[in-house]
């Protein structure tokens, strides 16, 4: 298959490229890059005037729900949702049933991912830190790594036991891999459903205090300093946690973190609607926390934007707020929210946005970097930064529609992706 992309702006921070160019792709390989390439016979031509060609985006925090919860999402629907949202790769978290705590589950997920949607989206499993994610006994980490796991996490729950966390960090370090922590001191969050503060008090909701996150990040950084292992904070949400990561980086410790679009966009004021799609863990925080997320992104403390895509069925969310499960879908709104909240407001440049969606997560996970150059395999995300659109959850490709952003007007969207010899056009 031959594809000719005309008049695109190629931005590749890895090699410093920022130039307008045509790109000719033949059987998944970039054959030519230069202005005014003539279209030959049997060439699929797309005019990308005003659009950006970037290294393929990866979401390093996704819940594909398969195996075990296929009524919420499957590998097929989740990867289609990813492609529609502008991602050529995702990392799937291990809170499946069974959990991703042995080699056979890792291999099954990787095999299935190559069979669906023509293998368009690469899927990299995250192995569990502990068996069945119960926090009691370490999972066979070497076996998981050899099967293809790219990091370890008990996401959905923290690794609470300090001895287990220390050993997990040490073993991961031997494999040059990182531990991804769902940072929460659980003794402080029992029964909590939203951020602790004025609004939780006024609504009479059981609270989740910000210090629950801060305490766990502080403990973990102390362990990192002791054992010198790589550590990544998932979905950071408090100003205190961002400051702890900033201080750790200043000491030269191998600590990184990610933030979700909903945590740099919404505050706990949204919970006043009692919309169960505003219930997530960590919860929506205060305006000061949101501003801390944006400052962390701007100054480089926050390395990655990841969605924590967490599908739940319609029935599961159509209950009282207290009983609804935590989590929202995010793959199909992430880029629009990032452009709207961060790029068009001057907090991030387009190059920085690409770093946080593509370059940095691959560095953290030790995945090969993507190069947009002649002779390289094509793995690109194509962005229309000025496309104005309204979120309609009914049109999502994800099996679940649980998003608080239905009806939001956004500016910026993925036009499409090309990966593994397949092109997918969203617009």
């Amino acid at each position: 298959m031959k594809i000719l992309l005309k008049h695109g702006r190629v931005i590749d921070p890895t090699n410093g490229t920022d130039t307008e160019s045509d790109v000719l792709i033949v059987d998944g390989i970039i054959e030519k890059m230069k202005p005014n390439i003539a279209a030959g016979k049997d060439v699929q031509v797309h005019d990308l005037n005003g659009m950006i060609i970037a290294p393929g985006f990866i979401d390093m925090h996704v819940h594909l729900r398969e195996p075990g919860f296929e009524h919420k999402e499957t590998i097929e629907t989740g990867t289609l949702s990813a492609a529609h949202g502008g991602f050529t790769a995702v990392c799937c978290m291990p809170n499946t049933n069974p959990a991703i705590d042995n080699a056979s589950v890792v291999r099954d997920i990787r095999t299935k991912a190559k069979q669906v949607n023509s293998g368009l989206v690469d899927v990299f499993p995250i192995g569990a830190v502990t068996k069945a994610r119960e926090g009691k006994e370490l999972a066979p980490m070497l076996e998981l790594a050899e099967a293809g796991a790219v990091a370890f996490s008990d996401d959905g729950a923290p690794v609470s036991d300090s001895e287990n966390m220390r050993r997990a960090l040490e073993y991961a370090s031997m494999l040059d891999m990182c531990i991804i922590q769902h940072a929460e001191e659980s003794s402080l969050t029992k029964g909590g459903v939203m951020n602790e503060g004025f609004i939780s008090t006024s609504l009479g909701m059981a609270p989740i205090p910000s210090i629950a996150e801060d305490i766990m990040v502080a403990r973990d950084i102390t362990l990192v300093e002791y054992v010198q292992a790589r550590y990544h904070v998932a979905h950071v949400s408090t100003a205190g946690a961002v400051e702890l990561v900033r201080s750790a980086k200043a000491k030269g410790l191998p600590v990184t973190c990610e933030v979700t679009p909903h945590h740099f966009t919404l505050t706990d004021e949204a919970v006043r609607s009692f919309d169960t799609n505003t219930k997530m863990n960590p919860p929506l925080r205060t305006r000061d926390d949101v501003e801390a997320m944006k400052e962390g992104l701007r100054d480089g403390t926050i390395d990655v934007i990841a969605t924590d895509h967490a599908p739940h069925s319609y029935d599961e969310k159509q209950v009282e707020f207290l009983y609804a499960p935590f989590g929202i879908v995010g793959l199909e709104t992430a880029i629009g929210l990032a452009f709207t909240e961060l790029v068009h407001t001057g907090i991030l440049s387009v190059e920085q946005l690409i770093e946080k969606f593509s370059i940095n997560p691959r560095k953290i996970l030790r995945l090969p970097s993507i190069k947009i150059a002649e002779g390289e395999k094509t793995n690109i995300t194509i962005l229309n930064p000025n496309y104005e659109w309204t979120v309609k959850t009914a049109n999502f490709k994800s099996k679940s529609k649980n998003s608080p952003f239905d009806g939001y007007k956004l500016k910026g969207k993925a036009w499409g992706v090309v990966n593994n010899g397949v092109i997918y056009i969203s617009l």
Side-chain angles (χ1 to χ4, degrees), residues 64-385:
L64 290 179
R65 302 304 195 200
E66 186 178 357
F69 304 102
E70 288 85 351
H71 64 290
K72 300 170 187 273
E73 194 78 286
T74 64
I75 295 170
E76 182 173 11
T77 59
T79 53
L80 182 61
S81 176
H84 196 72
F87 295 93
T88 63
V90 297
C91 296
C92 56
M93 285 295 174
N95 56 340
T96 49
N97 185 20
I100 307 175
D101 65 356
N102 64 79
S104 64
V105 180
V106 174
R107 293 193 186 102
D108 285 348
I109 290 171
R110 296 184 70 200
T111 299
K112 183 72 177 288
K114 292 175 182 175
Q115 294 170 343
V116 300
N117 302 317
S118 303
L120 170 62
V121 174
D122 301 318
V123 175
F124 300 103
I126 306 290
V129 175
T130 63
K131 291 182 178 178
R133 299 175 47 256
E134 293 178 341
K136 298 175 182 175
E137 183 181 356
L138 291 183
M141 297 170 69
L142 175 59
E143 175 185 312
L144 289 165
E146 289 177 341
V150 296
F152 304 101
S153 178
D154 275 357
D155 185 57
V159 180
S160 295
D161 184 276
S162 297
E163 172 66 9
N164 277 342
M165 190 57 163
R166 173 192 171 170
R167 298 303 176 199
L169 286 164
E170 289 174 335
Y171 293 142
S173 179
M174 294 177 196
L175 300 167
D176 193 24
M177 297 169 70
C178 73
I179 300 293
I180 301 173
Q181 173 71 302
H182 174 114
E184 175 183 339
E185 171 44 59
S186 300
S187 64
L188 291 168
T189 62
K190 290 177 181 174
V193 297
M194 68 171 293
N195 182 57
E196 182 176 75
F198 175 79
I199 296 170
S200 67
T201 302
S202 63
L203 296 178
M205 295 277 200
I208 298 174
S210 60
I211 56 168
E213 182 170 319
D214 300 350
I215 288 171
M216 187 58 80
V217 172
R219 183 208 69 172
D220 289 347
I221 289 174
T222 303
L223 287 170
V224 168
E225 192 165 13
Y226 188 68
V227 302
Q228 293 295 313
R230 295 198 294 121
Y231 169 77
H232 180 82
V233 186
H235 42 52
V236 67
S237 70
T238 69
V242 172
E243 187 55 38
L244 287 163
V245 172
R246 184 177 288 120
S247 298
K249 285 175 179 278
K251 291 181 179 178
L253 298 176
V255 174
T256 55
C257 70
E258 70 192 30
V259 67
T260 70
H262 47 276
H263 284 118
F264 64 65
T265 301
L266 299 175
T267 72
D268 54 357
E269 282 282 351
V271 182
R272 288 189 185 278
S273 66
F274 293 102
D275 179 358
T276 56
N277 291 323
T278 64
K279 183 178 179 182
M280 57 277 289
N281 188 14
L284 299 174
R285 303 288 190 183
T286 66
R287 173 55 59 190
D288 287 345
D289 292 306
V290 169
E291 293 306 315
M293 299 305 114
K294 291 181 177 179
E295 178 58 24
L297 285 162
R298 189 196 63 76
D299 72 11
T301 300
I302 298 175
D303 309 84
V304 171
I305 299 172
T307 67
D308 191 13
H309 178 83
H312 292 293
S313 70
Y314 178 82
D315 290 344
E316 289 169 322
K317 280 289 194 178
Q318 289 303 305
V319 296
E320 290 179 45
F321 195 91
L322 182 65
Y323 303 111
F326 293 104
I328 63 170
V329 293
L331 284 165
E332 295 172 63
T333 51
I335 291 175
L337 287 166
F339 267 105
T340 303
E341 295 290 328
L342 305 175
V343 176
H344 292 308
T345 56
I347 293 169
L348 293 183
S349 65
V350 172
E351 290 80 3
Q352 289 172 312
L353 186 83
I354 293 170
E355 288 174 356
K356 293 178 193 300
F357 269 120
S358 179
I359 312 298
N360 293 347
R362 290 180 178 277
K363 285 181 181 176
I364 292 166
L365 298 168
R366 298 291 194 255
L367 295 173
S369 62
I370 297 169
K371 296 178 182 176
I372 304 178
E374 291 182 359
E376 294 287 337
K377 173 180 175 289
T378 311
N379 184 340
I380 57 174
T381 292
I382 301 166
L383 305 163
N384 187 335

Side-chain angles (χ1 to χ4, degrees), residues 15-71:
N15 57 24
T17 299
D18 185 349
T19 184
E20 290 194 7
S21 177
D22 293 355
V23 179
L24 177 62
I25 301 165
V26 179
D27 296 332
I29 304 297
I30 298 176
E31 185 168 289
K32 289 182 184 176
M33 280 183 62
K34 65 178 186 178
N36 303 316
I37 297 175
K41 291 182 179 179
D42 303 322
V43 178
Q44 188 180 139
V45 181
H46 300 280
D47 189 345
L48 302 184
N49 188 31
M51 298 192 217
I52 295 164
I53 301 173
F57 283 11
I58 177 171
D59 187 342
M60 67 179 288
H61 192 143
V62 167
H63 300 272
L64 290 179
R65 302 304 195 200
E66 186 178 357
F69 304 102
E70 288 85 351
H71 64 290

